[in-house]
Amino acid sequence: MSFDPGRVQAVIYDCDGVLVDSVESNKAYYNHILGRFGLPEVAESQMDLVLTGTGRGVVEALFEGSPFAQAAREFQLQLPADIFLDLAKPEPHVHAVLRQVRAARRTAVATNRGKSLVPLLEMLGMRDLFDVLVSSNDVTRNKPDPECLLIILKRFGLAPDEVLYVGDSDVDRETAARAGAAFAAYRNVSLKADLHLTAHTDLLKTLA
């Protein structure tokens, strides 16, 4: 099925790496947990996991085989939802583009981020720019399972070919494919996508 921009009634966004540059924030968060148990900081080879996984999944992976695995999970659960969020920053032009997209379409977020999603969006002045938020706390199966997108489709009363999912990872690409939705790759030309965006402003040209 070919991508038809004219059919797009809603734009759904991943969070980390798409709406928000959270590299330093996420790195500080998991380094804090690792440091609590005297373990080395996150390695460069682990950054993809840190930026795309759920909090629980990342901690389980980082502490796999460690005697501190259960204690680390318990420590993570009691951390404040807003810890290190001040290190995150919005992607360029995202506020202005979202306001223009919302003039004619609905918007949503589908992410593997959990309890920190709302505090993050509120801190960056984005919360009111979305009609629906679906985090890892709202699903039984995380991305790349399409449950997060299917929830949004049901809430909006739309068919898969009436939404566009904007992501930056292969996890996002697979999520969109399994939901039957079109996929826009944000600043990642290596991904197979219906649309490639070098900046958020590129989306306005497509949906004009």
Side-chain angles (χ1 to χ4, degrees), residues 22-73:
S22 58
V23 172
E24 295 305 318
S25 175
N26 285 14
K27 188 187 297 184
Y29 178 82
Y30 292 109
N31 282 343
H32 179 66
I33 298 173
L34 289 164
R36 172 69 174 78
F37 299 94
L39 296 181
E41 294 188 344
V42 172
E44 191 62 34
S45 61
Q46 297 170 313
M47 283 305 299
D48 186 59
L49 169 68
V50 162
L51 294 173
T52 63
T54 65
R56 177 170 185 159
V58 174
V59 169
E60 287 179 349
L62 292 177
F63 283 83
E64 186 176 5
S66 166
F68 307 118
Q70 182 58 36
R73 174 60 180 155

Short mmCIF file of all heavy atoms in Angstrom, two decimals, residues 22-73:
data_model
loop_
_atom_site.label_atom_id
_atom_site.label_comp_id
_atom_site.label_asym_id
_atom_site.label_seq_id
_atom_site.Cartn_x
_atom_site.Cartn_y
_atom_site.Cartn_z
N SER A 22 17.08 13.47 24.38
CA SER A 22 17.18 12.99 25.76
C SER A 22 18.44 12.18 26.02
O SER A 22 18.50 11.44 27.00
CB SER A 22 15.94 12.15 26.10
OG SER A 22 15.83 11.06 25.18
N VAL A 23 19.43 12.30 25.14
CA VAL A 23 20.64 11.49 25.27
C VAL A 23 21.30 11.71 26.63
O VAL A 23 21.56 10.75 27.38
CB VAL A 23 21.64 11.80 24.14
CG1 VAL A 23 22.97 11.09 24.42
CG2 VAL A 23 21.09 11.36 22.80
N GLU A 24 21.56 12.95 26.99
CA GLU A 24 22.25 13.23 28.25
C GLU A 24 21.37 12.92 29.45
O GLU A 24 21.85 12.44 30.49
CB GLU A 24 22.70 14.69 28.29
CG GLU A 24 23.75 15.03 27.24
CD GLU A 24 24.97 14.12 27.31
OE1 GLU A 24 25.43 13.82 28.43
OE2 GLU A 24 25.45 13.69 26.23
N SER A 25 20.09 13.16 29.33
CA SER A 25 19.15 12.87 30.41
C SER A 25 19.08 11.38 30.71
O SER A 25 19.18 10.95 31.86
CB SER A 25 17.77 13.41 30.04
OG SER A 25 16.81 13.06 31.01
N ASN A 26 18.90 10.59 29.65
CA ASN A 26 18.79 9.14 29.83
C ASN A 26 20.10 8.55 30.33
O ASN A 26 20.12 7.66 31.18
CB ASN A 26 18.39 8.47 28.52
CG ASN A 26 16.93 8.68 28.18
OD1 ASN A 26 16.27 9.53 28.77
ND2 ASN A 26 16.42 7.95 27.22
N LYS A 27 21.20 9.05 29.79
CA LYS A 27 22.50 8.54 30.20
C LYS A 27 22.73 8.82 31.69
O LYS A 27 23.18 7.94 32.44
CB LYS A 27 23.61 9.19 29.38
CG LYS A 27 24.99 8.59 29.60
CD LYS A 27 26.08 9.39 28.88
CE LYS A 27 25.88 9.37 27.39
NZ LYS A 27 27.01 10.07 26.69
N ALA A 28 22.40 10.03 32.14
CA ALA A 28 22.57 10.38 33.55
C ALA A 28 21.67 9.52 34.44
O ALA A 28 22.08 9.10 35.54
CB ALA A 28 22.25 11.86 33.76
N TYR A 29 20.47 9.24 33.97
CA TYR A 29 19.51 8.44 34.74
C TYR A 29 20.04 7.04 35.00
O TYR A 29 20.08 6.55 36.14
CB TYR A 29 18.19 8.38 33.96
CG TYR A 29 17.11 7.55 34.60
CD1 TYR A 29 16.31 8.07 35.60
CD2 TYR A 29 16.84 6.25 34.16
CE1 TYR A 29 15.29 7.32 36.17
CE2 TYR A 29 15.84 5.49 34.71
CZ TYR A 29 15.06 6.04 35.72
OH TYR A 29 14.05 5.29 36.29
N TYR A 30 20.49 6.37 33.94
CA TYR A 30 20.97 4.99 34.11
C TYR A 30 22.35 4.94 34.75
O TYR A 30 22.66 3.99 35.48
CB TYR A 30 20.92 4.25 32.77
CG TYR A 30 19.51 4.03 32.32
CD1 TYR A 30 18.97 4.74 31.24
CD2 TYR A 30 18.67 3.14 33.00
CE1 TYR A 30 17.65 4.55 30.85
CE2 TYR A 30 17.35 2.97 32.62
CZ TYR A 30 16.85 3.67 31.55
OH TYR A 30 15.53 3.50 31.17
N ASN A 31 23.18 5.96 34.53
CA ASN A 31 24.46 6.01 35.23
C ASN A 31 24.24 6.17 36.74
O ASN A 31 25.02 5.64 37.54
CB ASN A 31 25.31 7.17 34.70
CG ASN A 31 25.97 6.85 33.37
OD1 ASN A 31 26.07 5.69 32.97
ND2 ASN A 31 26.42 7.88 32.67
N HIS A 32 23.21 6.89 37.10
CA HIS A 32 22.87 7.06 38.51
C HIS A 32 22.53 5.71 39.15
O HIS A 32 22.97 5.40 40.27
CB HIS A 32 21.69 8.02 38.64
CG HIS A 32 21.22 8.26 40.04
ND1 HIS A 32 21.99 8.92 40.99
CD2 HIS A 32 20.06 7.93 40.66
CE1 HIS A 32 21.32 8.98 42.13
NE2 HIS A 32 20.15 8.39 41.96
N ILE A 33 21.76 4.91 38.43
CA ILE A 33 21.38 3.59 38.96
C ILE A 33 22.59 2.67 39.00
O ILE A 33 22.83 1.98 40.00
CB ILE A 33 20.26 2.97 38.09
CG1 ILE A 33 19.01 3.85 38.14
CG2 ILE A 33 19.93 1.55 38.57
CD1 ILE A 33 17.91 3.42 37.18
N LEU A 34 23.38 2.66 37.95
CA LEU A 34 24.58 1.83 37.92
C LEU A 34 25.55 2.24 39.03
O LEU A 34 26.14 1.39 39.71
CB LEU A 34 25.26 1.94 36.56
CG LEU A 34 24.55 1.27 35.38
CD1 LEU A 34 25.11 1.78 34.06
CD2 LEU A 34 24.67 -0.25 35.45
N GLY A 35 25.72 3.54 39.21
CA GLY A 35 26.64 4.03 40.23
C GLY A 35 26.21 3.67 41.64
O GLY A 35 27.07 3.48 42.52
N ARG A 36 24.92 3.57 41.83
CA ARG A 36 24.40 3.19 43.16
C ARG A 36 24.94 1.83 43.58
O ARG A 36 25.11 1.56 44.78
CB ARG A 36 22.87 3.17 43.10
CG ARG A 36 22.17 2.62 44.35
CD ARG A 36 22.35 3.55 45.52
NE ARG A 36 21.57 3.09 46.67
CZ ARG A 36 21.91 2.10 47.48
NH1 ARG A 36 23.04 1.43 47.27
NH2 ARG A 36 21.13 1.76 48.48
N PHE A 37 25.25 0.98 42.60
CA PHE A 37 25.73 -0.37 42.90
C PHE A 37 27.19 -0.56 42.49
O PHE A 37 27.67 -1.69 42.39
CB PHE A 37 24.83 -1.40 42.20
CG PHE A 37 23.41 -1.32 42.67
CD1 PHE A 37 22.47 -0.57 41.98
CD2 PHE A 37 23.01 -1.96 43.84
CE1 PHE A 37 21.16 -0.47 42.43
CE2 PHE A 37 21.70 -1.87 44.30
CZ PHE A 37 20.77 -1.11 43.60
N GLY A 38 27.88 0.55 42.27
CA GLY A 38 29.31 0.50 42.00
C GLY A 38 29.68 -0.09 40.66
O GLY A 38 30.79 -0.60 40.48
N LEU A 39 28.78 -0.02 39.68
CA LEU A 39 29.05 -0.59 38.36
C LEU A 39 29.46 0.50 37.38
O LEU A 39 29.14 1.68 37.57
CB LEU A 39 27.80 -1.33 37.85
CG LEU A 39 27.37 -2.55 38.67
CD1 LEU A 39 26.14 -3.19 38.04
CD2 LEU A 39 28.49 -3.56 38.79
N PRO A 40 30.17 0.14 36.30
CA PRO A 40 30.63 1.13 35.31
C PRO A 40 29.46 1.84 34.64
O PRO A 40 28.34 1.31 34.57
CB PRO A 40 31.40 0.28 34.29
CG PRO A 40 31.76 -0.97 35.02
CD PRO A 40 30.64 -1.22 35.99
N GLU A 41 29.73 3.02 34.11
CA GLU A 41 28.71 3.79 33.42
C GLU A 41 28.29 3.12 32.12
O GLU A 41 28.94 2.20 31.63
CB GLU A 41 29.23 5.20 33.15
CG GLU A 41 29.46 6.01 34.42
CD GLU A 41 29.79 7.45 34.13
OE1 GLU A 41 30.13 7.77 32.96
OE2 GLU A 41 29.71 8.28 35.06
N VAL A 42 27.19 3.60 31.58
CA VAL A 42 26.66 3.07 30.32
C VAL A 42 27.72 3.17 29.23
O VAL A 42 28.34 4.22 29.04
CB VAL A 42 25.41 3.87 29.90
CG1 VAL A 42 24.95 3.47 28.50
CG2 VAL A 42 24.27 3.67 30.91
N ALA A 43 27.91 2.08 28.50
CA ALA A 43 28.87 2.06 27.40
C ALA A 43 28.21 2.59 26.13
O ALA A 43 26.98 2.57 25.99
CB ALA A 43 29.36 0.63 27.17
N GLU A 44 29.03 3.06 25.20
CA GLU A 44 28.50 3.57 23.95
C GLU A 44 27.68 2.51 23.22
O GLU A 44 26.66 2.83 22.59
CB GLU A 44 29.65 4.05 23.06
CG GLU A 44 29.20 4.84 21.84
CD GLU A 44 28.47 6.12 22.21
OE1 GLU A 44 28.81 6.74 23.24
OE2 GLU A 44 27.54 6.48 21.46
N SER A 45 28.08 1.26 23.33
CA SER A 45 27.38 0.17 22.66
C SER A 45 26.00 -0.09 23.26
O SER A 45 25.18 -0.80 22.67
CB SER A 45 28.21 -1.12 22.74
OG SER A 45 28.42 -1.50 24.09
N GLN A 46 25.73 0.48 24.44
CA GLN A 46 24.45 0.29 25.11
C GLN A 46 23.49 1.47 24.91
O GLN A 46 22.35 1.42 25.37
CB GLN A 46 24.68 0.08 26.62
CG GLN A 46 25.48 -1.16 26.96
CD GLN A 46 25.89 -1.21 28.41
OE1 GLN A 46 26.39 -0.22 28.97
NE2 GLN A 46 25.70 -2.36 29.05
N MET A 47 23.93 2.50 24.21
CA MET A 47 23.12 3.71 24.10
C MET A 47 21.84 3.50 23.31
O MET A 47 20.82 4.11 23.61
CB MET A 47 23.94 4.84 23.48
CG MET A 47 24.92 5.49 24.44
SD MET A 47 24.13 6.09 25.97
CE MET A 47 22.98 7.31 25.31
N ASP A 48 21.86 2.64 22.30
CA ASP A 48 20.63 2.39 21.55
C ASP A 48 19.56 1.81 22.47
O ASP A 48 18.39 2.21 22.43
CB ASP A 48 20.90 1.44 20.38
CG ASP A 48 19.67 1.26 19.49
OD1 ASP A 48 19.18 2.27 18.96
OD2 ASP A 48 19.20 0.12 19.36
N LEU A 49 19.96 0.89 23.33
CA LEU A 49 19.05 0.31 24.31
C LEU A 49 18.54 1.38 25.26
O LEU A 49 17.33 1.46 25.54
CB LEU A 49 19.77 -0.79 25.11
CG LEU A 49 19.04 -1.32 26.35
CD1 LEU A 49 17.80 -2.10 25.93
CD2 LEU A 49 19.99 -2.20 27.17
N VAL A 50 19.43 2.22 25.74
CA VAL A 50 19.08 3.27 26.70
C VAL A 50 18.07 4.26 26.11
O VAL A 50 17.22 4.79 26.82
CB VAL A 50 20.36 4.00 27.15
CG1 VAL A 50 20.06 5.35 27.79
CG2 VAL A 50 21.14 3.13 28.14
N LEU A 51 18.13 4.47 24.81
CA LEU A 51 17.27 5.46 24.17
C LEU A 51 15.97 4.89 23.63
O LEU A 51 15.04 5.65 23.34
CB LEU A 51 18.03 6.15 23.04
CG LEU A 51 19.22 7.01 23.48
CD1 LEU A 51 19.99 7.51 22.27
CD2 LEU A 51 18.76 8.18 24.34
N THR A 52 15.87 3.57 23.50
CA THR A 52 14.66 2.99 22.91
C THR A 52 13.90 2.04 23.83
O THR A 52 12.73 1.75 23.58
CB THR A 52 14.99 2.23 21.61
OG1 THR A 52 15.87 1.14 21.91
CG2 THR A 52 15.66 3.15 20.60
N GLY A 53 14.54 1.55 24.87
CA GLY A 53 13.91 0.55 25.73
C GLY A 53 13.03 1.14 26.81
O GLY A 53 13.03 2.35 27.07
N THR A 54 12.27 0.30 27.46
CA THR A 54 11.51 0.71 28.64
C THR A 54 12.46 0.79 29.83
O THR A 54 13.53 0.19 29.83
CB THR A 54 10.41 -0.31 28.97
OG1 THR A 54 11.02 -1.56 29.34
CG2 THR A 54 9.49 -0.53 27.78
N GLY A 55 12.07 1.54 30.85
CA GLY A 55 12.91 1.64 32.04
C GLY A 55 13.23 0.29 32.63
O GLY A 55 14.39 -0.02 32.93
N ARG A 56 12.21 -0.52 32.77
CA ARG A 56 12.42 -1.84 33.34
C ARG A 56 13.32 -2.69 32.44
O ARG A 56 14.24 -3.36 32.92
CB ARG A 56 11.08 -2.56 33.54
CG ARG A 56 11.23 -3.98 34.06
CD ARG A 56 9.93 -4.58 34.49
NE ARG A 56 10.13 -5.88 35.09
CZ ARG A 56 9.25 -6.46 35.90
NH1 ARG A 56 8.13 -5.84 36.21
NH2 ARG A 56 9.49 -7.65 36.41
N GLY A 57 13.06 -2.64 31.14
CA GLY A 57 13.85 -3.44 30.21
C GLY A 57 15.31 -3.04 30.19
O GLY A 57 16.20 -3.89 30.11
N VAL A 58 15.56 -1.74 30.26
CA VAL A 58 16.95 -1.27 30.24
C VAL A 58 17.67 -1.71 31.51
O VAL A 58 18.80 -2.20 31.45
CB VAL A 58 17.00 0.27 30.10
CG1 VAL A 58 18.44 0.76 30.24
CG2 VAL A 58 16.44 0.71 28.76
N VAL A 59 17.03 -1.54 32.66
CA VAL A 59 17.67 -1.94 33.92
C VAL A 59 17.93 -3.44 33.93
O VAL A 59 19.00 -3.90 34.35
CB VAL A 59 16.82 -1.51 35.12
CG1 VAL A 59 17.33 -2.16 36.41
CG2 VAL A 59 16.84 0.00 35.27
N GLU A 60 16.98 -4.22 33.47
CA GLU A 60 17.17 -5.67 33.42
C GLU A 60 18.36 -6.03 32.53
O GLU A 60 19.15 -6.92 32.86
CB GLU A 60 15.90 -6.35 32.93
CG GLU A 60 14.78 -6.34 33.97
CD GLU A 60 13.50 -7.00 33.44
OE1 GLU A 60 13.43 -7.27 32.22
OE2 GLU A 60 12.58 -7.23 34.26
N ALA A 61 18.50 -5.34 31.40
CA ALA A 61 19.61 -5.62 30.49
C ALA A 61 20.95 -5.17 31.08
O ALA A 61 21.95 -5.89 31.00
CB ALA A 61 19.37 -4.94 29.15
N LEU A 62 20.96 -4.00 31.68
CA LEU A 62 22.21 -3.47 32.24
C LEU A 62 22.70 -4.31 33.42
O LEU A 62 23.91 -4.41 33.66
CB LEU A 62 22.02 -2.02 32.69
CG LEU A 62 21.79 -0.98 31.60
CD1 LEU A 62 21.55 0.39 32.22
CD2 LEU A 62 22.97 -0.92 30.64
N PHE A 63 21.76 -4.91 34.15
CA PHE A 63 22.14 -5.68 35.34
C PHE A 63 22.03 -7.19 35.13
O PHE A 63 22.05 -7.95 36.10
CB PHE A 63 21.26 -5.25 36.53
CG PHE A 63 21.67 -3.93 37.13
CD1 PHE A 63 21.23 -2.75 36.58
CD2 PHE A 63 22.51 -3.88 38.24
CE1 PHE A 63 21.60 -1.52 37.12
CE2 PHE A 63 22.90 -2.67 38.79
CZ PHE A 63 22.45 -1.49 38.22
N GLU A 64 21.89 -7.60 33.87
CA GLU A 64 21.78 -9.04 33.59
C GLU A 64 23.00 -9.79 34.14
O GLU A 64 24.15 -9.42 33.88
CB GLU A 64 21.67 -9.27 32.08
CG GLU A 64 21.41 -10.72 31.72
CD GLU A 64 21.22 -10.92 30.23
OE1 GLU A 64 21.38 -9.95 29.47
OE2 GLU A 64 20.90 -12.06 29.83
N GLY A 65 22.74 -10.82 34.92
CA GLY A 65 23.81 -11.61 35.51
C GLY A 65 24.43 -11.01 36.75
O GLY A 65 25.33 -11.61 37.35
N SER A 66 23.95 -9.83 37.13
CA SER A 66 24.50 -9.17 38.32
C SER A 66 23.74 -9.58 39.57
O SER A 66 22.51 -9.77 39.53
CB SER A 66 24.40 -7.64 38.17
OG SER A 66 24.61 -6.99 39.40
N PRO A 67 24.40 -9.70 40.71
CA PRO A 67 23.69 -10.02 41.96
C PRO A 67 22.82 -8.86 42.43
O PRO A 67 22.01 -9.02 43.36
CB PRO A 67 24.83 -10.27 42.96
CG PRO A 67 26.01 -9.54 42.40
CD PRO A 67 25.87 -9.63 40.92
N PHE A 68 22.97 -7.69 41.78
CA PHE A 68 22.20 -6.51 42.19
C PHE A 68 20.94 -6.31 41.34
O PHE A 68 20.29 -5.28 41.45
CB PHE A 68 23.07 -5.26 42.08
CG PHE A 68 24.37 -5.34 42.81
CD1 PHE A 68 25.57 -5.26 42.11
CD2 PHE A 68 24.41 -5.51 44.18
CE1 PHE A 68 26.78 -5.33 42.77
CE2 PHE A 68 25.61 -5.59 44.86
CZ PHE A 68 26.81 -5.50 44.15
N ALA A 69 20.61 -7.26 40.47
CA ALA A 69 19.53 -7.07 39.51
C ALA A 69 18.21 -6.68 40.18
O ALA A 69 17.57 -5.69 39.80
CB ALA A 69 19.35 -8.32 38.66
N GLN A 70 17.77 -7.43 41.17
CA GLN A 70 16.50 -7.14 41.83
C GLN A 70 16.56 -5.84 42.61
O GLN A 70 15.64 -5.02 42.58
CB GLN A 70 16.12 -8.29 42.77
CG GLN A 70 14.77 -8.11 43.48
CD GLN A 70 13.61 -7.94 42.51
OE1 GLN A 70 13.58 -8.54 41.44
NE2 GLN A 70 12.64 -7.11 42.89
N ALA A 71 17.68 -5.61 43.28
CA ALA A 71 17.84 -4.38 44.06
C ALA A 71 17.84 -3.16 43.14
O ALA A 71 17.30 -2.10 43.49
CB ALA A 71 19.13 -4.44 44.87
N ALA A 72 18.44 -3.30 41.97
CA ALA A 72 18.48 -2.20 41.02
C ALA A 72 17.07 -1.88 40.53
O ALA A 72 16.70 -0.69 40.38
CB ALA A 72 19.38 -2.55 39.84
N ARG A 73 16.28 -2.90 40.26
CA ARG A 73 14.91 -2.68 39.83
C ARG A 73 14.11 -1.97 40.92
O ARG A 73 13.36 -1.02 40.66
CB ARG A 73 14.25 -4.02 39.48
CG ARG A 73 12.77 -3.96 39.15
CD ARG A 73 12.49 -3.07 37.97
NE ARG A 73 11.07 -3.01 37.67
CZ ARG A 73 10.48 -2.01 37.04
NH1 ARG A 73 11.19 -0.98 36.62
NH2 ARG A 73 9.19 -2.04 36.79
#
